[in-house]
Amino acid sequence: MANSIDGPSAWRRGDLRTEDYRIALSGAALDEIRRAADELREFPLPTILRRPEEFTMPACQAAMAEVRRMLASGVHFAIVDRLPLDAIDADAATAIYWLLASMVARPVAQSLDGKLIYDVRDTGRAALPGSGVRPDQTNIELKFHTDNSYNRTPPDTVVLLCLKPAERGGHSRVASFHTLYNALLTRHPECLARLYRPFWFDRQREFHAGETPVFTAPVFTAGAKLQARFSAHQIRGGYALKGEPLDDEGGAALAALLDLFDDDTLSADFDLEPGQLQFVDNRVLGHARTEFADFPEPERRRHLVRLWLRDHGRRAYPG
């Protein structure tokens, strides 16, 4: 690609209006959620067996249709405000979240063992190259990245439900790779070609015995629209596992992207509040999280629940 990208997906902070990405659940939708939670309690089943068509939720279906529109042809992210956590417990909220997300697209596995619902918490472990510890299981800052960049079939959409925020920090940020591509075209055009050539990624121990611990793919892929897979952490880990230095051209390209991510005019940030859902197009937007400090009481510690959505390929992790 040599031309700049136009349209709603190439947004800057100053372009965004709240109505471009925020969807408030209506009173009718909240009534549907409370009734569904009652039914879930009365007729228990594992959450992953639940299907939206089992429940009468037209107002919620309409809200999720608007999420799909924002993801496909709008700013490529949405905040849904919010599940009534004062009326339903965490288990019911997670089940309702599963139903709402399933109205947008199909949940898929987030690990080789088939885990579909993933708790994002600080485990106290360190995310070192080859350790298999994902950075989202720590409290460190997560630089801009796309989820599962090291898998051949990453999710199309990443969804988060906030059950409990941190005591301090943990702020969310999103930025469009279409905007960053335009900025690279203007500020660092010499770096673009390298981003279309492969990098090594650390596979986070998500592979079968006998397979290689690294994966190779470019950051940018041109098609009907520009798509991206990016994680400086996983790329650096990939080269460490290979025992190779990152080439100078590749290092300059990553540095240019990270520099643009630090430009506040090119991103949006917000605090995800209890009960809110965040939907992000994982092939067009990068997302980030600041470092956080937890409450000392275990029951108050930061807890988000993540789903990955993709309507093509297998539901299993390799896709």
Side-chain angles (χ1 to χ4, degrees):
M1 296 181 68
N3 299 320
S4 62
I5 300 172
D6 299 320
S9 66
W11 53 264
R12 291 169 170 257
R13 179 188 294 261
D15 301 329
L16 289 175
R17 303 168 301 166
T18 302
E19 57 266 32
D20 291 331
Y21 62 87
R22 187 178 293 267
I23 299 169
L25 291 174
S26 66
L30 293 172
D31 286 342
E32 292 171 1
I33 287 169
R34 294 184 187 97
R35 287 195 295 271
D38 290 341
E39 188 170 340
L40 291 167
R41 281 191 293 270
E42 188 173 357
F43 304 102
L45 274 176
T47 294
I48 61 173
L49 298 181
R50 298 292 187 180
R51 297 291 179 268
E53 56 269 23
E54 299 170 9
F55 301 85
T56 304
M57 305 177 78
C60 288
Q61 290 277 8
M64 295 305 104
E66 180 63 4
V67 169
R68 286 197 303 274
R69 184 197 66 78
M70 290 178 174
L71 291 171
S73 58
V75 296
H76 289 259
F77 75 98
I79 303 294
V80 176
D81 191 35
R82 72 189 61 190
L83 299 188
L85 296 186
D86 57 337
I88 60 176
D89 63 20
D91 288 342
T94 300
I96 295 296
Y97 166 49
W98 171 271
L99 292 173
L100 295 179
S102 297
M103 296 174 188
V104 174
R106 179 189 63 174
V108 295
Q110 301 186 49
S111 57
L112 203 59
D113 63 6
K115 182 179 294 182
L116 290 162
I117 300 173
Y118 185 94
D119 292 303
V120 179
R121 308 179 198 244
D122 177 20
T123 63
R125 297 183 293 168
L128 302 174
S131 68
V133 177
R134 298 180 182 182
D136 54 40
Q137 295 291 292
T138 74
N139 69 338
I140 64 173
E141 178 185 12
L142 302 185
K143 295 287 189 179
F144 272 101
H145 65 283
T146 59
D147 273 18
N148 206 213
S149 56
Y150 46 90
N151 191 11
R152 68 172 179 261
T153 313
D156 290 332
T157 306
V158 174
V159 198
L160 290 171
L161 162 66
C162 178
L163 291 175
K164 294 177 181 176
E167 182 178 22
R168 297 186 307 278
H171 310 299
S172 296
R173 294 179 68 199
V174 293
S176 169
F177 281 103
H178 292 181
T179 306
L180 298 175
Y181 171 86
N182 290 342
L184 283 170
L185 202 58
T186 301
R187 304 182 198 178
H188 304 285
E190 73 284 356
C191 293
L192 274 170
R194 179 64 183 88
L195 294 169
Y196 285 95
R197 300 200 302 271
F199 290 83
W200 291 113
F201 290 79
D202 176 1
R203 292 179 69 188
Q204 295 284 275
R205 290 191 177 177
E206 296 289 352
F207 53 87
H208 294 290
E211 293 182 344
T212 176
V214 293
F215 172 79
T216 183
V219 170
F220 285 161
T221 304
K225 64 181 178 182
L226 178 76
Q227 291 191 322
R229 64 169 78 223
F230 181 74
S231 168
H233 179 87
Q234 308 305 351
I235 290 172
R236 292 184 184 119
Y239 281 86
L241 289 173
K242 284 292 289 184
E244 298 177 5
L246 176 60
D247 58 281
D248 292 343
E249 198 178 358
L254 293 190
L257 258 184
L258 291 171
D259 181 58
L260 291 174
F261 279 134
D262 287 336
D263 183 342
D264 288 344
T265 68
L266 304 181
S267 65
D269 59 84
F270 41 83
D271 290 314
L272 203 58
E273 299 174 2
Q276 289 185 330
L277 280 59
Q278 171 185 302
F279 291 78
V280 172
D281 183 333
N282 191 51
R283 305 311 307 275
V284 173
L285 265 61
H287 59 281
R289 180 199 75 196
T290 62
E291 183 180 4
F292 68 87
D294 254 330
F295 289 97
E297 304 91 344
E299 69 277 5
R300 297 182 66 194
R301 290 178 182 167
R302 186 178 189 268
H303 184 191
L304 275 62
V305 183
R306 188 179 70 201
L307 296 175
W308 284 350
L309 309 180
R310 186 183 65 241
D311 275 335
H312 56 91
R314 292 184 177 90
R315 294 187 74 188
Y317 177 80

